[in-house]
């Protein structure tokens, strides 16, 4: 059995993190059963250290920064941190299960993930980070607030309050999606939904995971989310719909 | 027979344009014979208009901007402008020839080309554009200088003169390649040279074409080019070496 470590929230179903959603979808794509251990932010470091997980980054003071997702696989005894490394681990370890990386190649997806997040997600980070903060349980919220305010050198409330600055951030996000969407068109007749046309891969899981993050932290009825649903001929909401068998959350 | 319209230069073999190199390599990959018609810049617009080519862009004043490469295919009677559209045309029209787009998908390569040029080439444009200008024949040089100085609002000589500003541009280019190179590593054991690992595709032609552009306009013995050869474990010079059967130029 695989144990997935994830971060709870006030959102229905707890799940919100784009990176742990990637792993949830990857596990379901490969038909691997798993159970979730929920960790509030202050418990992540001590727990992961205890199970021998690798820190994926460093805080500004040089101390190890433990992040989720992490999986612990009782079949192999392995503990793996970082959504990308987990996807590669699952593909290698469970090679007989449905593939996350069609055609036996991974770099195309790795380039795609980097390009997608840089183009469409990074421009919106001040909105997405503040909305995430508002969705966390109090223990996690305090930890998240303290650490992110140190990084941004701004109060969470100052990151993206309603007004022209937030509108400009949204316009940049929309600009990213507008630039990104037409590049799918060279597959087939242009209507195919996935990175590999008709073939689902981890690339599509990445896109859907970020979209679900935005949907969850804004809330499904939020006007900004409704905007996303209308972008690029509804491509993004269609993608989520096509991946709805991956039961992440009800949001 | 296919006719390729290209722009000559003072460089050995004439060829220098990254976009026409892409088409040269694509034609050779598909084993399609072709002949070159050389057009100096001022002759491009009138000639292309004459053969019914599409303008690929617009000048600031709204007039059509005709660019090369353009191919004219006597077998089908088609005239196609724009390196990406030409690659798709060749793939569709000569489907029985070796494929430019393995696995029947094109979007992965389209995303890759955009990400590669944004990450590694665009940061160096002020260097590459000025060095290109210095390599053109006088008629083209005057046209190129006038139009590019209007775009940049700077003299060609002011774009990237030696000194700290040029060093910073180079550092940004190197930073782009440093960020880009490790993403190939998830294919196989990390040593595979191509976007699709062991399988050559149009993605690799794109990378090689931009590298050859830089090599040609700087000159193969130029210290800045020699730097590129040393970057990322020699990955880029190895790629050019692997594609040397595509006879573009002797540079």
């Amino acid at each position: 059995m695989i144990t997935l470590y994830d971060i709870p929230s006030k959102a229905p179903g707890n799940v919100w993190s784009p990176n742990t959603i990637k792993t949830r979808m990857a596990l379901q794509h490969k038909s691997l059963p798993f159970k979730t251990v929920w960790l509030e932010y202050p418990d992540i470091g001590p727990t992961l250290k205890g199970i021998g997980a690798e820190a994926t980054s460093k805080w500004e003071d040089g101390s190890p920064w433990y992040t989720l997702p992490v999986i612990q696989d009782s079949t192999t005894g392995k503990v793996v941190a970082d959504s990308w490394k987990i996807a590669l681990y699952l593909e290698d370890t469970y090679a007989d299960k449905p593939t996350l990386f069609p055609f036996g190649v991974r770099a195309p997806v790795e380039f795609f993930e980097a390009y997608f997040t840089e183009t469409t997600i990074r421009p919106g980070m001040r909105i997405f980070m503040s909305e995430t903060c508002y969705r966390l349980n109090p223990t996690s919220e305090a930890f998240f607030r303290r650490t992110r305010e140190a990084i941004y050198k701004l109060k969470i409330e100052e990151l993206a309050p309603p007004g022209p600055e937030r509108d400009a951030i949204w316009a940049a996000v929309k600009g990213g999606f507008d630039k990104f969407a037409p590049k799918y068109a060279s597959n087939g007749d242009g209507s195919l939904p996935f990175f590999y046309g008709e073939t689902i891969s981890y690339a599509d899981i990445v896109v859907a995971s970020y979209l679900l993050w935005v949907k969850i932290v804004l809330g499904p009825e939020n006007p900004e989310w409704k905007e996303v649903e209308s972008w690029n001929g509804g491509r993004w909401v269609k993608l989520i719909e096509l991946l709805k068998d991956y039961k992440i959350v009800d949001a």
Side-chain angles (χ1 to χ4, degrees), chain A:
Chain A
M1 171 69 88
I2 290 170
T3 303
L4 167 66
Y5 293 84
D6 201 346
I7 310 156
S9 75
K10 294 186 284 194
N14 270 336
V15 181
W16 64 272
S17 156
N19 294 315
T20 69
I21 294 174
K22 290 176 205 167
T23 299
R24 284 176 180 276
M25 287 193 162
L27 286 161
Q28 291 180 65
H29 184 80
K30 290 196 87 71
S31 306
L32 295 166
F34 64 97
K35 63 174 185 195
T36 305
V37 171
W38 296 102
L39 297 177
E40 297 290 351
Y41 267 103
D43 303 323
I44 293 175
T47 306
L48 295 195
K49 214 169 166 179
I51 62 169
E54 279 186 4
T56 53
S57 188
K58 282 184 177 181
W59 294 101
E60 215 173 43
D61 68 3
S63 61
W65 185 345
Y66 291 94
T67 65
L68 296 184
V70 160
I71 62 161
Q72 188 169 28
D73 186 345
S74 65
T75 309
T76 61
K78 288 276 168 64
V79 173
V80 188
D82 181 88
S83 57
W84 178 253
K85 286 186 184 164
I86 292 171
L88 297 182
Y89 167 81
L90 295 176
E91 186 75 357
D92 286 337
T93 309
Y94 301 99
D96 55 323
K97 300 280 191 177
T99 183
L100 291 163
F101 299 98
F103 315 119
V105 286
R106 296 150 191 216
V109 176
E110 194 168 355
F111 282 113
F112 177 87
E113 173 164 11
Y115 191 41
F116 175 76
T117 56
E118 283 174 29
T119 306
T120 70
I121 301 300
R122 196 167 301 165
M125 281 305 270
R126 288 174 61 151
I127 291 177
F128 307 146
M129 292 308 267
S130 55
E131 295 292 334
T132 294
C133 190
Y134 305 145
R135 281 281 177 173
L136 296 172
N137 292 319
T139 331
S140 279
E141 192 269 350
F143 183 95
F144 190 91
R145 175 178 289 275
R146 178 170 53 75
T147 51
R148 272 56 178 182
E149 288 185 347
I151 290 168
Y152 283 97
K153 322 257 185 246
L154 282 173
K155 291 272 169 206
I156 289 290
E157 287 73 12
E158 294 168 335
L159 281 180
E165 216 176 312
R166 187 181 181 105
D167 296 345
I169 295 172
W170 261 115
V173 174
K174 182 174 188 305
F177 278 96
D178 285 347
K179 182 175 142 185
F180 210 73
K183 292 188 175 56
Y184 285 94
S186 55
N187 282 338
D189 68 356
S191 69
L192 299 177
F194 302 129
F195 179 64
Y196 284 127
E198 291 171 322
T199 306
I200 188 174
S201 73
Y202 188 71
D204 312 300
I205 286 178
V206 165
V207 175
S209 296
Y210 281 108
L211 289 166
L212 285 171
W213 173 38
V214 175
K215 182 176 181 180
I216 291 165
V217 298
L218 288 174
E221 300 308 322
N222 175 284
E224 287 172 331
W225 171 254
K226 290 290 175 197
E227 273 185 51
V228 178
E229 289 189 341
S230 75
W231 289 349
N232 309 116
R235 167 177 282 278
W236 314 111
V237 74
K238 276 181 213 153
L239 180 69
I240 294 176
E241 181 64 20
L242 283 167
L243 302 192
K244 71 171 188 299
D245 289 342
Y246 304 85
K247 293 279 174 214
I248 305 307
V249 283
D250 302 326

